[in-house]
Amino acid sequence: MVTESPRATAAAADELLAHVDGLRADADLMDGYARRLLRTAATLSGCPAAPEWSRPLLERQAAGCRTAAEQLRAAAEALLTHVRAGD
């Protein structure tokens, strides 16, 4: 069953907009973590002492971070749409 959310008050809208900003900031952090993981994987690929499994594992972790970033951005956009619908 789908129910309609009540319209947001101005104060509630401001609070929700702060959450939108937080979600976007978290998404940026996750993108940064993905880049760091990929740089580490690239560095380890040239290191003979690094375990064979390390690069694929780091690449999978980076992919997870990118997925999380995409989901956080989608949540931010959905929340923003909700706030704007209350205007």
Side-chain angles (χ1 to χ4, degrees):
M1 178 168 131
V2 176
T3 59
E4 189 172 321
S5 299
R7 299 227 181 256
T9 64
D14 289 343
E15 185 178 345
L16 291 175
L17 288 173
H19 286 294
V20 169
D21 291 340
L23 289 167
R24 288 177 175 163
D26 288 346
D28 291 343
L29 285 172
M30 295 305 290
D31 278 334
Y33 297 146
R35 286 189 298 274
R36 287 175 57 188
L37 287 164
L38 291 174
R39 279 195 305 268
T40 301
T43 300
L44 289 178
S45 69
C47 178
E52 219 175 276
W53 50 262
S54 62
R55 183 177 177 153
L57 178 67
L58 290 167
E59 289 171 348
R60 285 194 302 276
Q61 290 295 322
C65 288
R66 291 244 162 99
T67 298
E70 290 170 7
Q71 291 173 345
L72 286 163
R73 284 191 182 91
E77 288 307 309
L79 191 54
L80 185 59
T81 298
H82 173 74
V83 172
R84 287 181 177 159
D87 289 343

